[in-house]
Amino acid sequence: MSIDFDSLLEGVNKKDMRAWEDLYAGYYAVLCSYVNNILRDRDQAQDIVQDVLVAVWKSSKQFGDMKELTSYLYRSCYNNALIYKRNVQIRKGIEQKIIL
């Protein structure tokens, strides 16, 4: 399947549902794999990727080219994965203090 990246980007910027379906189909699995490599938690990785895609859908951000969109998706997933890991560590620290 050949992807017309210009049409895809235009559709994403205009919030066209078909373009978003194509974006999801093209990026969801690779982003999940990327986040899973960071977290080692497949379910949480899927949640993070889904949250990032929904946040981009809801935002008014416009992307100038596919490289910008791709970088934004990967960076957002990376940042959210690190935030999740930090929060888990904080939660574990609090739980240990409560138990002691």
Side-chain angles (χ1 to χ4, degrees), residues 34 70-80:
Y34 175 69
T70 300
S71 296
Y72 187 88
L73 292 171
Y74 274 92
R75 177 55 64 186
S76 296
C77 286
Y78 177 79
N79 289 341
N80 287 357

Side-chain angles (χ1 to χ4, degrees), residues 1-94:
M1 178 174 90
S2 177
I3 298 175
D4 179 3
F5 289 111
D6 292 332
S7 295
L8 177 63
L9 182 65
E10 183 180 343
V12 166
N13 284 334
K14 290 181 177 181
K15 308 295 187 213
D16 175 67
M17 186 58 75
R18 178 68 183 144
W20 278 88
E21 290 170 357
D22 291 343
L23 180 74
Y24 187 89
Y27 279 84
Y28 181 76
V30 294
L31 289 172
C32 284
S33 178
Y34 175 69
V35 174
N36 188 48
N37 284 334
I38 297 167
L39 299 180
R40 302 289 185 228
D41 182 337
R42 186 175 310 252
D43 291 334
Q44 190 57 44
Q46 291 172 345
D47 288 346
I48 287 172
V49 171
Q50 202 157 25
D51 289 345
V52 166
L53 289 170
V54 168
V56 172
W57 170 263
K58 289 181 177 180
S59 80
S60 60
K61 181 154 179 61
Q62 298 286 299
F63 301 95
D65 58 29
M66 285 303 294
K67 182 178 179 181
E68 181 183 354
L69 172 59
T70 300
S71 296
Y72 187 88
L73 292 171
Y74 274 92
R75 177 55 64 186
S76 296
C77 286
Y78 177 79
N79 289 341
N80 287 357
L82 292 184
I83 290 167
Y84 174 79
K85 283 181 81 164
R86 181 197 64 200
N87 290 342
V88 166
Q89 290 173 343
I90 290 170
R91 202 172 304 121
K92 284 181 182 178
I94 292 170

